[in-house]
Amino acid sequence: MDNVSVVRIFTLSRINETMNYRLTIFSLTLLYYCVILFVNISLIAIIILDENLHEPMYILLCNFCINGLYGTIGFYPKFLLDLLSSSHEISYSGCLFQAFITYSFACADFSILAVMAYDRYLAICRPLHYHSFMTKRRLSQLVCFSWFTPFSILSISILLTSRLRLCGSNIQKLFCVNWVIVKLACSDVNTVLNSVIAYATMFIYISHGFFIVWTYMHLIKNCVRSKEDRVKFMQTCVPHLISLITFVVVILVDLMYMRFGSTDLPQSLQNFIAIEFLLISPVMNPLIYGFKLTKIRNRILGLVYIKGKSTVP
Protein backbone atom coordinates (compact mmCIF):
# COMPACT_ATOMS: atom_id res chain seq x y z
CA MET A 1 0.00 0.00 0.00
CA ASP A 2 3.02 2.32 -0.07
CA ASN A 3 2.15 3.57 -3.54
CA VAL A 4 -1.42 4.58 -2.72
CA SER A 5 -2.22 8.26 -2.23
CA VAL A 6 -2.84 9.50 1.30
CA VAL A 7 -4.30 12.76 -0.04
CA ARG A 8 -8.08 12.69 0.35
CA ILE A 9 -9.01 16.33 -0.38
CA PHE A 10 -7.83 18.67 -3.13
CA THR A 11 -8.07 22.47 -3.13
CA LEU A 12 -9.00 24.24 -6.37
CA SER A 13 -7.01 27.41 -5.79
CA ARG A 14 -7.85 29.29 -9.01
CA ILE A 15 -11.44 29.84 -7.90
CA ASN A 16 -10.19 32.29 -5.25
CA GLU A 17 -9.41 34.76 -8.04
CA THR A 18 -13.09 34.95 -9.02
CA MET A 19 -14.52 35.62 -5.55
CA ASN A 20 -14.65 39.44 -5.91
CA TYR A 21 -17.25 39.05 -8.66
CA ARG A 22 -18.71 35.73 -7.63
CA LEU A 23 -22.40 36.71 -7.75
CA THR A 24 -22.02 38.19 -11.24
CA ILE A 25 -20.02 35.19 -12.45
CA PHE A 26 -22.51 32.81 -10.80
CA SER A 27 -25.47 34.46 -12.55
CA LEU A 28 -23.78 34.50 -15.95
CA THR A 29 -22.51 30.94 -15.58
CA LEU A 30 -25.93 29.64 -14.52
CA LEU A 31 -27.58 31.42 -17.46
CA TYR A 32 -24.95 30.05 -19.86
CA TYR A 33 -25.34 26.51 -18.50
CA CYS A 34 -29.11 26.76 -18.97
CA VAL A 35 -28.50 27.79 -22.60
CA ILE A 36 -26.21 24.75 -23.06
CA LEU A 37 -28.89 22.45 -21.63
CA PHE A 38 -31.65 24.05 -23.71
CA VAL A 39 -29.96 24.02 -27.13
CA ASN A 40 -28.53 20.51 -26.77
CA ILE A 41 -31.66 18.90 -25.31
CA SER A 42 -33.81 20.64 -27.94
CA LEU A 43 -31.69 19.29 -30.80
CA ILE A 44 -31.60 15.80 -29.28
CA ALA A 45 -35.40 15.82 -28.85
CA ILE A 46 -35.99 17.05 -32.43
CA ILE A 47 -33.78 14.28 -33.88
CA ILE A 48 -35.30 11.54 -31.71
CA LEU A 49 -38.93 12.54 -32.27
CA ASP A 50 -38.73 13.19 -36.04
CA GLU A 51 -38.40 9.91 -37.96
CA ASN A 52 -37.25 11.83 -41.05
CA LEU A 53 -34.07 12.68 -39.13
CA HIS A 54 -33.23 9.07 -38.29
CA GLU A 55 -30.31 9.12 -40.73
CA PRO A 56 -26.61 8.52 -39.94
CA MET A 57 -25.59 12.21 -40.08
CA TYR A 58 -28.34 13.27 -37.65
CA ILE A 59 -27.81 10.31 -35.34
CA LEU A 60 -24.12 11.26 -35.11
CA LEU A 61 -25.15 14.87 -34.45
CA CYS A 62 -27.43 13.60 -31.66
CA ASN A 63 -24.43 11.83 -30.12
CA PHE A 64 -22.46 15.06 -30.47
CA CYS A 65 -25.07 16.90 -28.39
CA ILE A 66 -25.32 14.10 -25.81
CA ASN A 67 -21.54 14.30 -25.40
CA GLY A 68 -21.83 18.08 -24.91
CA LEU A 69 -24.28 17.52 -22.06
CA TYR A 70 -22.07 14.80 -20.58
CA GLY A 71 -18.94 16.96 -20.59
CA THR A 72 -20.53 20.07 -19.11
CA ILE A 73 -22.11 18.07 -16.26
CA GLY A 74 -18.56 17.34 -15.12
CA PHE A 75 -17.73 21.04 -14.71
CA TYR A 76 -20.63 23.48 -14.36
CA PRO A 77 -22.55 22.09 -11.31
CA LYS A 78 -19.36 21.86 -9.23
CA PHE A 79 -18.15 25.29 -10.40
CA LEU A 80 -21.51 26.90 -9.54
CA LEU A 81 -21.42 25.36 -6.05
CA ASP A 82 -17.84 26.57 -5.55
CA LEU A 83 -18.87 30.14 -6.42
CA LEU A 84 -21.39 30.05 -3.57
CA SER A 85 -19.02 28.41 -1.11
CA SER A 86 -16.08 29.76 0.87
CA SER A 87 -14.42 26.34 0.70
CA HIS A 88 -13.20 25.25 -2.74
CA GLU A 89 -12.37 21.66 -2.02
CA ILE A 90 -13.09 18.44 -3.87
CA SER A 91 -12.66 14.87 -2.67
CA TYR A 92 -9.92 12.67 -4.09
CA SER A 93 -12.40 10.34 -5.84
CA GLY A 94 -14.50 13.33 -6.99
CA CYS A 95 -11.42 14.95 -8.51
CA LEU A 96 -10.47 11.82 -10.45
CA PHE A 97 -14.08 11.48 -11.62
CA GLN A 98 -14.17 15.10 -12.79
CA ALA A 99 -10.86 14.69 -14.63
CA PHE A 100 -12.24 11.56 -16.31
CA ILE A 101 -15.47 13.26 -17.44
CA THR A 102 -13.96 16.49 -18.78
CA TYR A 103 -11.21 14.84 -20.83
CA SER A 104 -13.21 11.83 -22.01
CA PHE A 105 -15.70 14.45 -23.26
CA ALA A 106 -12.96 16.22 -25.23
CA CYS A 107 -11.63 12.95 -26.68
CA ALA A 108 -15.14 11.70 -27.53
CA ASP A 109 -15.83 14.99 -29.33
CA PHE A 110 -12.84 14.40 -31.60
CA SER A 111 -13.79 10.74 -32.17
CA ILE A 112 -17.34 11.76 -33.16
CA LEU A 113 -15.93 14.43 -35.50
CA ALA A 114 -13.76 11.73 -37.15
CA VAL A 115 -16.79 9.45 -37.62
CA MET A 116 -18.81 12.37 -39.02
CA ALA A 117 -16.00 13.08 -41.50
CA TYR A 118 -16.12 9.44 -42.61
CA ASP A 119 -19.90 9.66 -43.04
CA ARG A 120 -19.58 12.79 -45.23
CA TYR A 121 -16.80 11.13 -47.25
CA LEU A 122 -19.06 8.17 -48.03
CA ALA A 123 -22.10 10.38 -48.78
CA ILE A 124 -20.26 12.68 -51.21
CA CYS A 125 -17.41 10.58 -52.62
CA ARG A 126 -19.17 7.17 -52.64
CA PRO A 127 -22.88 8.07 -53.00
CA LEU A 128 -23.85 4.86 -54.85
CA HIS A 129 -22.37 2.71 -52.08
CA TYR A 130 -23.38 4.93 -49.15
CA HIS A 131 -26.39 2.92 -47.95
CA SER A 132 -24.60 -0.41 -48.37
CA PHE A 133 -21.62 0.88 -46.34
CA MET A 134 -23.48 2.95 -43.75
CA THR A 135 -25.89 0.27 -42.51
CA LYS A 136 -27.53 0.38 -39.09
CA ARG A 137 -25.01 -2.15 -37.85
CA ARG A 138 -22.03 -0.18 -39.20
CA LEU A 139 -23.44 3.03 -37.73
CA SER A 140 -23.86 1.35 -34.32
CA GLN A 141 -20.26 0.13 -34.48
CA LEU A 142 -18.99 3.63 -35.33
CA VAL A 143 -21.01 5.22 -32.51
CA CYS A 144 -19.66 2.61 -30.07
CA PHE A 145 -16.13 3.31 -31.32
CA SER A 146 -16.52 7.06 -30.74
CA TRP A 147 -17.52 6.45 -27.11
CA PHE A 148 -15.57 3.29 -26.24
CA THR A 149 -12.16 4.58 -27.40
CA PRO A 150 -11.98 7.70 -25.15
CA PHE A 151 -13.63 5.91 -22.22
CA SER A 152 -11.09 3.06 -22.39
CA ILE A 153 -8.07 5.35 -22.72
CA LEU A 154 -9.15 7.70 -19.93
CA SER A 155 -10.12 4.79 -17.65
CA ILE A 156 -6.59 3.38 -17.92
CA SER A 157 -5.08 6.84 -17.40
CA ILE A 158 -7.17 7.59 -14.31
CA LEU A 159 -6.52 4.10 -12.89
CA LEU A 160 -2.76 4.67 -13.18
CA THR A 161 -3.11 8.10 -11.56
CA SER A 162 -5.10 6.64 -8.65
CA ARG A 163 -2.13 4.38 -7.78
CA LEU A 164 0.30 7.30 -7.32
CA ARG A 165 1.42 8.51 -3.91
CA LEU A 166 0.83 12.27 -3.83
CA CYS A 167 2.78 14.90 -1.92
CA GLY A 168 0.53 17.86 -2.68
CA SER A 169 -3.16 18.74 -2.71
CA ASN A 170 -3.26 22.19 -4.31
CA ILE A 171 -4.59 22.21 -7.88
CA GLN A 172 -3.88 25.44 -9.79
CA LYS A 173 -7.03 25.09 -11.89
CA LEU A 174 -10.79 25.73 -11.79
CA PHE A 175 -11.33 21.99 -12.15
CA CYS A 176 -9.37 18.75 -11.86
CA VAL A 177 -7.00 17.79 -14.67
CA ASN A 178 -5.40 14.36 -14.75
CA TRP A 179 -1.90 15.55 -15.67
CA VAL A 180 -1.97 18.20 -12.94
CA ILE A 181 -2.77 15.45 -10.40
CA VAL A 182 0.12 13.37 -11.78
CA LYS A 183 2.49 16.33 -11.27
CA LEU A 184 1.53 16.31 -7.56
CA ALA A 185 3.13 12.86 -7.20
CA CYS A 186 6.05 12.59 -4.79
CA SER A 187 9.49 12.92 -6.38
CA ASP A 188 10.38 9.27 -5.73
CA VAL A 189 7.24 7.97 -7.51
CA ASN A 190 7.62 6.52 -11.01
CA THR A 191 5.20 8.19 -13.46
CA VAL A 192 6.60 6.62 -16.65
CA LEU A 193 3.43 4.61 -17.31
CA ASN A 194 1.34 7.78 -17.02
CA SER A 195 3.59 9.46 -19.60
CA VAL A 196 3.34 6.45 -21.92
CA ILE A 197 -0.48 6.55 -21.78
CA ALA A 198 -0.43 10.32 -22.35
CA TYR A 199 1.73 9.94 -25.48
CA ALA A 200 -0.37 6.97 -26.67
CA THR A 201 -3.49 9.13 -26.33
CA MET A 202 -1.82 11.91 -28.33
CA PHE A 203 -0.83 9.40 -31.03
CA ILE A 204 -4.38 8.00 -31.30
CA TYR A 205 -5.97 11.42 -31.65
CA ILE A 206 -3.30 12.75 -34.00
CA SER A 207 -4.17 9.70 -36.12
CA HIS A 208 -7.81 10.81 -35.95
CA GLY A 209 -6.64 14.19 -37.21
CA PHE A 210 -4.75 12.70 -40.18
CA PHE A 211 -7.79 10.60 -41.06
CA ILE A 212 -10.01 13.71 -41.06
CA VAL A 213 -7.50 15.55 -43.28
CA TRP A 214 -7.50 12.56 -45.66
CA THR A 215 -11.33 12.57 -45.91
CA TYR A 216 -11.39 16.32 -46.59
CA MET A 217 -8.75 16.02 -49.30
CA HIS A 218 -11.07 13.60 -51.11
CA LEU A 219 -14.15 15.73 -50.38
CA ILE A 220 -12.56 18.88 -51.78
CA LYS A 221 -11.27 17.00 -54.85
CA ASN A 222 -14.80 15.75 -55.54
CA CYS A 223 -16.34 19.17 -55.00
CA VAL A 224 -14.01 20.76 -57.55
CA ARG A 225 -15.32 18.37 -60.21
CA SER A 226 -19.05 18.50 -59.42
CA LYS A 227 -21.43 21.39 -58.76
CA GLU A 228 -23.89 19.04 -57.03
CA ASP A 229 -21.16 17.85 -54.65
CA ARG A 230 -20.24 21.47 -53.92
CA VAL A 231 -23.82 22.12 -52.80
CA LYS A 232 -23.73 19.02 -50.56
CA PHE A 233 -20.37 20.13 -49.17
CA MET A 234 -21.65 23.62 -48.31
CA GLN A 235 -24.80 22.27 -46.67
CA THR A 236 -23.40 19.41 -44.60
CA CYS A 237 -19.60 19.71 -44.42
CA VAL A 238 -19.25 23.40 -43.57
CA PRO A 239 -20.87 23.00 -40.09
CA HIS A 240 -18.62 19.99 -39.47
CA LEU A 241 -15.56 21.92 -40.63
CA ILE A 242 -16.38 24.91 -38.40
CA SER A 243 -16.87 22.59 -35.39
CA LEU A 244 -13.65 20.76 -36.19
CA ILE A 245 -11.51 23.89 -36.60
CA THR A 246 -12.95 25.45 -33.45
CA PHE A 247 -12.37 22.28 -31.44
CA VAL A 248 -8.79 21.81 -32.66
CA VAL A 249 -7.87 25.46 -32.01
CA VAL A 250 -9.41 25.40 -28.53
CA ILE A 251 -7.71 22.14 -27.53
CA LEU A 252 -4.33 23.19 -28.97
CA VAL A 253 -4.47 26.50 -27.09
CA ASP A 254 -5.26 24.62 -23.87
CA LEU A 255 -2.48 22.05 -24.40
CA MET A 256 0.08 24.67 -25.44
CA TYR A 257 -0.77 26.81 -22.44
CA MET A 258 -0.45 23.83 -20.05
CA ARG A 259 2.96 23.05 -21.57
CA PHE A 260 4.44 26.48 -22.33
CA GLY A 261 2.02 29.03 -20.81
CA SER A 262 3.25 32.05 -18.90
CA THR A 263 2.08 32.76 -15.36
CA ASP A 264 2.40 36.48 -16.16
CA LEU A 265 -0.95 36.45 -17.98
CA PRO A 266 -3.92 37.94 -16.09
CA GLN A 267 -5.60 35.31 -13.91
CA SER A 268 -8.96 35.78 -15.61
CA LEU A 269 -7.37 35.03 -19.02
CA GLN A 270 -5.64 31.95 -17.64
CA ASN A 271 -8.97 30.70 -16.29
CA PHE A 272 -10.69 31.34 -19.63
CA ILE A 273 -8.01 29.41 -21.55
CA ALA A 274 -8.41 26.49 -19.13
CA ILE A 275 -12.20 26.17 -19.62
CA GLU A 276 -12.73 27.42 -23.18
CA PHE A 277 -13.30 23.88 -24.53
CA LEU A 278 -16.17 23.61 -22.01
CA LEU A 279 -17.51 27.05 -23.00
CA ILE A 280 -17.42 27.19 -26.80
CA SER A 281 -18.14 23.74 -28.27
CA PRO A 282 -21.22 22.75 -26.19
CA VAL A 283 -23.14 25.85 -27.37
CA MET A 284 -21.62 26.50 -30.78
CA ASN A 285 -22.06 22.97 -32.20
CA PRO A 286 -25.86 22.65 -31.80
CA LEU A 287 -26.39 26.26 -32.95
CA ILE A 288 -24.27 25.84 -36.10
CA TYR A 289 -25.89 22.53 -37.05
CA GLY A 290 -29.34 23.79 -36.10
CA PHE A 291 -29.11 26.83 -38.41
CA LYS A 292 -27.09 25.27 -41.23
CA LEU A 293 -28.65 21.82 -41.77
CA THR A 294 -31.80 22.36 -43.82
CA LYS A 295 -33.92 19.56 -42.33
CA ILE A 296 -33.26 20.61 -38.75
CA ARG A 297 -33.70 24.31 -39.53
CA ASN A 298 -37.04 23.61 -41.24
CA ARG A 299 -38.15 21.46 -38.32
CA ILE A 300 -37.29 24.21 -35.82
CA LEU A 301 -39.02 26.89 -37.93
CA GLY A 302 -42.03 24.59 -38.28
CA LEU A 303 -42.30 24.19 -34.52
CA VAL A 304 -41.98 27.96 -33.99
CA TYR A 305 -44.65 28.61 -36.66
CA ILE A 306 -47.07 26.09 -35.14
CA LYS A 307 -46.53 27.49 -31.64
CA GLY A 308 -47.00 31.07 -32.89
CA LYS A 309 -50.18 30.09 -34.74
CA SER A 310 -51.63 28.35 -31.70
CA THR A 311 -51.17 31.47 -29.54
CA VAL A 312 -53.09 33.71 -31.96
CA PRO A 313 -56.64 34.27 -30.58
Side-chain angles (χ1 to χ4, degrees), residues 262-274:
S262 169
T263 55
D264 295 332
L265 291 175
Q267 191 64 62
S268 55
L269 180 58
Q270 292 182 47
N271 289 341
F272 175 77
I273 292 171

Side-chain angles (χ1 to χ4, degrees), residues 94-105:
C95 192
L96 292 178
F97 187 57
Q98 187 181 54
F100 173 82
I101 290 177
T102 51
Y103 281 91
S104 60
F105 149 72

Side-chain angles (χ1 to χ4, degrees), residues 49-203:
L49 297 175
D50 191 339
E51 291 187 3
N52 294 322
L53 298 177
H54 291 182
E55 299 174 9
M57 181 173 66
Y58 300 105
I59 291 170
L60 292 171
L61 174 57
C62 186
N63 276 269
F64 213 19
C65 293
I66 290 170
N67 189 50
L69 292 175
Y70 161 75
T72 52
I73 280 173
F75 170 71
Y76 284 94
K78 169 62 178 165
F79 181 62
L80 288 167
L81 286 173
D82 284 336
L83 288 172
L84 296 179
S85 172
S86 58
S87 174
H88 310 131
E89 296 178 339
I90 185 169
S91 68
Y92 177 77
S93 57
C95 192
L96 292 178
F97 187 57
Q98 187 181 54
F100 173 82
I101 290 177
T102 51
Y103 281 91
S104 60
F105 149 72
C107 292
D109 242 17
F110 204 37
S111 292
I112 294 169
L113 284 167
V115 173
M116 291 173 88
Y118 176 65
D119 173 71
R120 290 301 83 206
Y121 164 76
L122 290 179
I124 294 175
C125 299
R126 299 285 186 271
L128 298 178
H129 304 287
Y130 178 73
H131 292 291
S132 60
F133 280 140
M134 194 58 78
T135 60
K136 288 184 178 179
R137 182 178 178 182
R138 179 68 57 82
L139 179 61
S140 300
Q141 289 171 342
L142 290 171
V143 169
C144 288
F145 161 79
S146 64
W147 288 94
F148 181 75
T149 303
F151 277 34
S152 299
I153 294 169
L154 268 297
S155 294
I156 295 169
S157 183
I158 294 296
L159 181 62
L160 289 173
T161 301
S162 69
R163 295 176 56 81
L164 299 176
R165 180 165 52 86
L166 306 181
C167 288
S169 61
N170 188 35
I171 294 179
Q172 298 284 332
K173 288 275 187 180
L174 293 174
F175 61 96
C176 293
V177 177
N178 186 48
W179 191 245
V180 174
I181 300 171
V182 171
K183 290 200 290 187
L184 294 175
C186 299
S187 57
D188 60 337
V189 172
N190 190 339
T191 60
V192 171
L193 279 177
N194 297 81
S195 299
V196 169
I197 290 295
Y199 285 117
T201 304
M202 289 172 62
F203 174 78

